[in-house]
Amino acid sequence: MLSRRSQPQPHSLTAEVESVLGPAPADYTQPEVVVLRFRRHGRQLVLPVLALLVIAAAAGFWVGAFAAAWQNLLAGFIAIALGVFLGLFPVLRWLTQRTTVTTRRVIQRRGVFVRHRSEVSFVRVREVRTRRGLLQRACGAGDIDLHVGAERTILPDVPSVLVVADALQELVERNYAHATRDHSAMWSAQSTHL
């Protein structure tokens, strides 16, 4: 019986995966490159910033204007609570929502306290659609729907939506062409062995 020390250990997780599944396909030998990184359109920050300005002005007027000290403390506490909930949390939420587009997939990250991450591979995407409301068209933004079979992934309020949608469509087409080329090459290689 071999001891643990005498058993060969894989040098990395990649080596262990390759020992079980075999070498990676040719399309995975090229590195994945980040194409785009973006957040939701900046107009999402207009209302929180206006709320912070109004709360600061109201607090400057009312805090210290009351005769009793407890009333001034209560007014200050209310101003701080409103500033946190109406101004700070929406800004933090906007800062923590990021979308990264690589040559192979779309990665969405979001969450202030609990982090959520979702990925969609371009090989699975069948259609790229855009939706733009009146305000979004005025700002040059819009929503992008990535259709994956019966499901869809929504990229909300994307800035420069037409440029991003064109880039996504080109990446979907390239990945699909590359996958079908590799698939047909694999089938032709298997048929020659039979």
Side-chain angles (χ1 to χ4, degrees):
M1 183 169 180
L2 294 173
S3 68
R4 286 186 171 241
R5 291 186 182 180
S6 63
Q7 291 178 351
Q9 296 292 325
H11 296 291
S12 68
L13 183 61
T14 305
E16 186 174 327
V17 170
E18 284 184 3
S19 69
V20 174
L21 298 176
D27 61 337
Y28 283 92
T29 58
Q30 295 181 354
E32 186 173 19
V33 178
V34 174
V35 178
L36 294 169
R37 282 190 181 123
F38 56 88
R39 289 188 170 92
R40 293 180 73 166
H41 195 273
R43 70 180 165 80
Q44 299 289 323
L45 298 176
V46 171
L47 288 178
V49 169
L50 286 176
L52 283 174
L53 290 173
V54 168
I55 291 168
F61 181 77
W62 288 106
V63 175
F66 297 108
W70 69 270
Q71 292 174 334
N72 289 323
L73 285 174
L74 182 63
F77 178 75
I78 290 172
I80 290 172
L82 286 175
V84 167
F85 288 115
L86 297 178
L88 187 61
F89 278 160
V91 170
L92 283 177
R93 194 178 73 219
W94 181 83
L95 285 172
T96 59
Q97 291 179 342
R98 291 183 311 241
T99 302
T100 304
V101 178
T102 69
T103 53
R104 293 187 193 148
R105 58 194 166 152
V106 175
I107 305 164
Q108 288 182 301
R109 293 181 181 102
R110 61 183 166 84
V112 177
F113 298 112
V114 178
R115 302 290 294 164
H116 297 277
R117 176 184 166 126
S118 64
E119 296 183 14
V120 176
S121 175
F122 283 128
V123 175
R124 295 181 54 220
V125 174
R126 297 294 170 234
E127 189 174 358
V128 178
R129 291 185 184 173
T130 59
R131 285 180 297 150
R132 300 174 74 191
L134 184 62
L135 186 59
Q136 287 177 326
R137 281 186 289 179
C139 296
D143 300 335
I144 296 178
D145 296 336
L146 301 175
H147 290 266
V148 181
E151 300 174 9
R152 69 180 186 168
T153 299
I154 299 173
L155 305 177
D157 216 13
V158 177
S160 303
V161 68
L162 298 177
V163 175
V164 173
D166 287 342
L168 289 173
Q169 184 65 39
E170 183 177 335
L171 288 168
V172 166
E173 290 171 2
R174 283 185 180 187
N175 278 278
Y176 183 74
H178 192 64
T180 55
R181 184 178 67 235
D182 285 346
H183 187 67
S184 63
M186 181 183 70
W187 279 105
S188 65
Q190 285 182 352
S191 65
T192 57
H193 289 298
L194 296 175

